[in-house]
Amino acid sequence: MLRETGMAEVNGARLYYEVVGEGEPLVLVHAGIADSRMWEDQLKAFADRYRVTAMVDGPFSHHEDLRGLLDSLDVERAHLVGCSMGGGAVLDFALEYPQRVGNLILVGSAVGGFGPDIDPPRQWDEIVSAEEAGDLERVSELEVQVWVDGPGRSPEDVDVSVRDLVREMNLIALRNEASGLGDEWEPEPPAADRLPDVQASTLLIVGDEDQPSVFAAADLLGRELPNVRKVVMHGAAHVPNMERPEAFNRIVLDFLRDYH
């Protein structure tokens, strides 16, 4: 299957994207600890039914960068899939541009303006120390422990290829962040105060090994979104599409079929 790749000039940044398949557009927005490679197993599976675009977020307003990318690709309306930070971006986009959104799939999603009163992960102090020491390799490994392993598993419990790829992708993100370039802004009022306004049918996916803060966000979304379905995937943490791709793909495709 042919895959188109390119760089789009969007809001002063250059965004990498990939497009594959035919049919209705389905946009995949990656997590903050990752890049477009996290969606490799989805590009293959979804492209049989959808025109799939995987994007790398820019450094300013993520939902406005998404709008700019869709404009550059002449995509007026799309189904949106976002993981973690990417989930927060597509949620903001759905609130700002509801007419441009088909269905929403939020995976371990962030929610703008929502900060639950939950203790940080046990690795937090060591992450801060490693950041202060400039040891970004150590920071990336610790963040893999937080997000890929989760609070209830050890590294030995997780597929080494998934851990290695996320550690590699996250290290790129950490180095970009350390450059000090860019100043992200978020919409006001934040998404957490506007969830009943979301018009799109929404699927929430959460891995049962994810962090308590992610479950708290999913609980908020489940209570406040008008048309929502929630699925908890067993044996996965913050990137369930990478750990259990076949199950993830089936869940998403079934949802899109049911809400077509």
Side-chain angles (χ1 to χ4, degrees), residues 8 15 17-18 24 31 65 78 88 100 111 117 122 136 143-144 181 183-184 192 194 208 210 230 234:
L15 301 187
Y17 66 87
E18 300 183 12
E24 295 180 76
D65 286 344
R100 302 191 65 172
V111 180
D117 185 17
R122 64 178 181 276
L136 297 184
E143 291 187 350
V144 167
L181 298 175
D183 183 19
E184 181 184 353
R194 304 166 61 195
D208 67 345
D210 212 335
K230 181 178 176 181
H234 298 288

Side-chain angles (χ1 to χ4, degrees), residues 67-82:
R67 179 196 56 78
L69 179 64
L70 295 181
D71 288 349
S72 72
L73 296 173
D74 294 322
V75 174
E76 181 59 33
R77 190 170 184 268
H79 304 302
L80 301 177
V81 183

